[in-house]
Amino acid sequence: MPARTRPVRVADGEFDLHLWFPERGHGPGLLLIPEIFGVSDYIRAVAADLASLGYVVAVPDLFWRLERNWASGHDDEGVARSLELGSRYDVEAGADDCAAAFETLSSLPEVMGGAGILGFCLGGSLAYVLAARAEPAVLLSFYGTAVPEKLGLLDEIHCPVQFHFGGQDTYIPRDKVAAVEEAVAGRPGVEIHVQEAAGHAFHNFRAPRFHHPEAGRTAWRLAMDFLARRLPAS
């Protein structure tokens, strides 16, 4: 469970920002932007893991305009319901929400040493878009479908970046991943890692339908090494 939930006000209302804190009480910040499954058991587990490494972690309630604090299971019913919600999600408003969440996280007195952005799936897309608008310390984007569609945003991102994709992702065909590889080649501070045997959402260890254990472990090890180098918590 999060240690605290803080309301974030935006033009048309307010939403919850769920917060996890490291044992020492302070550290660098990470805005963790979830998948279409919302503030699920998977995202909560990832947040707790990151907090245990020394980060102050904030997870926004993305779907508050449709269903507050949406948290789906990962069975067929949960996937279908999440896809339905996702089809009605206002991405532009969501990007504004994430910007407000990042500003709130960055202003917390417990956040020291900078704040970065990490997102999965829908969150991977929103994290990428947000990094072009804000000034995060780092960006980690896992299988964000918007990345190959908005390659021009790369010129507007000025922090270290690490992208993760699956080579067998039916939502992001391999040729689109190749376009990202080509676009980032030679860019200082930008990494891309492709788990060729994995599909979409391969890191989600609570979703047997998507999880690829070997790819998930490999990508997470790379991600944690990236954070240790670019936004160290100790």
Side-chain angles (χ1 to χ4, degrees):
M1 294 294 292
R4 196 161 82 217
T5 298
R6 180 188 179 113
V8 177
R9 290 206 60 80
V10 289
D12 57 338
E14 68 177 36
F15 62 90
D16 287 339
L17 186 65
H18 304 284
L19 298 164
W20 284 256
F21 295 90
E23 185 175 351
R24 66 186 177 188
H26 62 84
L30 278 176
L31 183 68
L32 174 58
I33 310 178
E35 314 159 298
I36 58 173
F37 302 114
V39 190
S40 65
D41 55 353
Y42 162 67
I43 285 296
R44 290 174 181 270
V46 172
D49 181 45
L50 291 167
S52 75
L53 296 175
Y55 296 95
V56 177
V57 185
V59 178
D61 174 23
L62 293 182
F63 293 97
W64 66 277
R65 293 181 182 85
L66 302 173
E67 185 165 336
R68 285 193 177 272
N69 289 309
W70 169 249
S72 170
H74 299 95
D75 56 6
D76 288 346
E77 181 182 353
V79 171
R81 177 71 173 122
S82 295
L83 287 170
E84 189 277 327
L85 269 183
S87 71
R88 295 189 284 123
Y89 183 70
D90 185 332
V91 175
E92 292 301 320
D96 291 341
D97 290 347
C98 289
F102 184 71
E103 183 178 350
T104 298
L105 169 66
S106 300
S107 70
L108 294 177
E110 295 90 349
V111 172
M112 302 178 180
I117 308 169
L118 165 62
F120 295 93
C121 189
L122 170 62
S125 293
L126 289 168
Y128 176 64
V129 171
L130 176 58
R133 295 174 50 175
E135 292 293 337
V138 297
L139 164 64
L140 272 159
S141 174
F142 277 73
Y143 27 82
T145 56
V147 175
E149 308 299 336
K150 297 179 181 290
L151 290 175
L153 291 181
L154 284 168
D155 293 331
E156 301 174 40
I157 297 174
H158 307 295
C159 65
V161 178
Q162 189 178 80
F163 293 115
H164 291 272
F165 293 97
Q168 305 297 317
D169 192 329
T170 56
Y171 297 95
I172 312 172
R174 188 61 180 84
D175 62 327
K176 291 194 173 184
V177 175
V180 181
E181 290 177 303
E182 182 178 352
V184 306
R187 286 180 180 262
V190 181
E191 305 175 19
I192 182 169
H193 301 282
V194 183
Q195 305 304 318
E196 295 293 356
H200 197 68
F202 62 78
H203 181 260
N204 190 332
F205 45 78
R206 299 291 174 87
R209 174 172 172 175
F210 300 108
H211 186 217
H212 190 293
E214 181 179 356
R217 286 192 297 270
T218 299
W220 198 243
R221 185 170 62 249
L222 289 165
M224 294 305 97
D225 174 71
F226 175 78
L227 284 177
R229 288 184 284 115
R230 299 296 197 170
L231 187 64
S234 60

